[in-house]
Amino acid sequence: MNTKTKPKAPTTPAHTYEKLKIDPALQGLLENKAERIFELGRRSTKQTFLIGDILNEVADVLEGSTFAKWVHSRCGIAARTATGFIAVSRNLEPFRDEMIDLNVSSTVLFTIAHAEPEKIREVLKHAEEHGQVRVSDAKAILSDGQEKPRINPYDQGGVGGLQALIALKSREGQKIFLARLKAIVGVMDAALKAKRLYKEKLQEALTLSAGTARNELRNLTQFVGSSEIRSEHKSLVMYPYGSQWARVEAVLTQLSDKDRWPKMVDLRKWLETEAVPVLSWVISKDRKAKLTGPDVTDAVDDSDDVAGRQLLEAVPSLDTSELIEVGDEFEGEADVEDENLDEVTSPVMSM
């Protein structure tokens, strides 16, 4: 028996509407629209059109910025995705019945939502002849079989190329780091639930992973400073002394060094009150998650880079008016698709 239930709309207090300055008379209408979207469940062809219809109605009563915030907070849909649904509803209406019959996927609908009618007809013809149509098929048809060549982010120059590399490292590096931390927390949780805690086995399972996770964290978040005396001497600009992220690094440092582990008599308490809570705080999806416990100053390594922190604090603020505006120009280029990653050598976590 299928025990899955339909997702429920997130509970948002009425003050959210006050914060967005939405007319109280519209609240009932908007809540009804949000509930209808969640009741639709999975995104079939028909449901994609229906969601587009609903969001189209909401867009008629809310201005752009307010609509974007409402659809994200009440429907769990990103503003950009919401505009995709609306485009499907508005632009593909003449082809709705045929597309439903052919079971065209929502991703394909988004891809062709702004295409010329004759191109849409070609996509539908392809779906009818082949029993399906993929996004790559639709893109090829829209570009007359000449798809835009994929850009290797390691060959793209200029500020746009730099942004693409930063986006690649940030996105993929974050995934790798968080996955590793989840595995580390999972091992500690399992060890704590066991009848007996085995220190050596736990060290064998965690020291290498913890050291790698610490390096990944540093590589993703810490600046590099240099000595004014010796240019070849470089050091990481440490987290502010006493901060929670300094505590995270301290936990990973301690886990990665067997000699720094607590004695067996104190191990369980340290895992339960420090190691697990601190690393769980990192992987939490709750933006308001709080971390309590011992003062960070007791856990931070004595080799704190005071000079490095001072160097960072001394960096003058930039005049942003002199920066090149590249966000819109490279919007599509910076988002490197996952399927492109196999084609490049990706030193994501080099240290």
Side-chain angles (χ1 to χ4, degrees), residues 37-214:
I37 288 175
F38 275 87
E39 287 177 351
L40 287 173
R42 65 188 184 89
R43 304 290 192 258
S44 66
T45 309
K46 181 177 181 180
Q47 289 161 333
T48 299
F49 273 99
L50 291 175
I51 292 173
D53 295 341
I54 296 170
L55 293 178
N56 193 23
E57 294 172 2
V58 175
D60 286 339
V61 297
L62 292 180
E63 62 180 17
S65 59
T66 303
F67 170 80
K69 295 175 182 177
W70 175 86
V71 75
H72 181 265
S73 62
R74 292 303 300 125
C75 305
I77 300 175
R80 186 173 181 177
T81 304
T83 59
F85 279 114
I86 293 174
V88 169
S89 172
R90 292 178 178 177
N91 303 337
L92 301 182
E93 175 59 31
F95 311 95
R96 179 185 294 223
D97 292 340
E98 192 172 353
M99 289 180 171
I100 292 175
D101 290 341
L102 292 172
N103 195 28
V104 179
S105 70
S106 59
T107 51
V108 171
L109 294 178
F110 288 168
T111 300
I112 65 176
H114 296 283
E116 297 295 328
E118 58 270 19
K119 291 294 183 181
I120 296 175
R121 282 294 177 196
E122 289 184 40
V123 172
L124 292 176
K125 182 179 179 181
H126 180 95
E128 187 173 2
E129 293 177 349
H130 296 83
Q132 66 172 348
V133 58
R134 298 170 299 181
V135 172
S136 57
D137 299 326
K139 287 183 177 180
I141 292 172
L142 297 184
S143 61
D144 295 320
Q146 298 179 353
E147 289 191 69
K148 186 178 180 180
R150 295 176 179 175
I151 298 178
N152 184 331
Y154 295 99
D155 291 331
Q156 184 179 352
V159 179
L162 178 62
Q163 287 187 331
L165 287 180
I166 292 172
L168 174 63
K169 177 178 179 179
S170 177
R171 184 181 66 250
E172 300 306 315
Q174 177 181 301
K175 289 179 183 178
I176 295 170
F177 172 66
L178 291 179
R180 198 180 309 279
L181 276 198
K182 288 178 182 178
I184 291 173
V185 172
V187 169
M188 292 191 292
D189 280 336
L192 289 171
K193 291 177 182 178
K195 294 181 179 180
R196 185 176 177 182
L197 191 61
Y198 294 92
K199 182 177 179 179
E200 290 185 1
K201 289 185 178 180
L202 199 54
Q203 287 179 326
E204 183 179 350
L206 294 181
T207 51
L208 181 59
S209 293
T212 303
R214 181 191 61 182

Side-chain angles (χ1 to χ4, degrees), residues 223-227 230-237 305 311:
F223 290 85
V224 175
S226 61
S227 171
R230 297 178 59 187
S231 61
E232 72 275 9
H233 176 70
K234 295 180 175 60
S235 60
L236 291 174
V237 178
D305 182 13
L311 174 66

Side-chain angles (χ1 to χ4, degrees), residues 218-247:
R218 288 175 172 177
N219 197 22
L220 284 168
T221 63
Q222 291 181 331
F223 290 85
V224 175
S226 61
S227 171
E228 294 182 359
I229 301 175
R230 297 178 59 187
S231 61
E232 72 275 9
H233 176 70
K234 295 180 175 60
S235 60
L236 291 174
V237 178
M238 306 301 287
Y239 300 108
Y241 195 66
S243 69
Q244 299 290 27
W245 280 99
R247 187 176 172 187

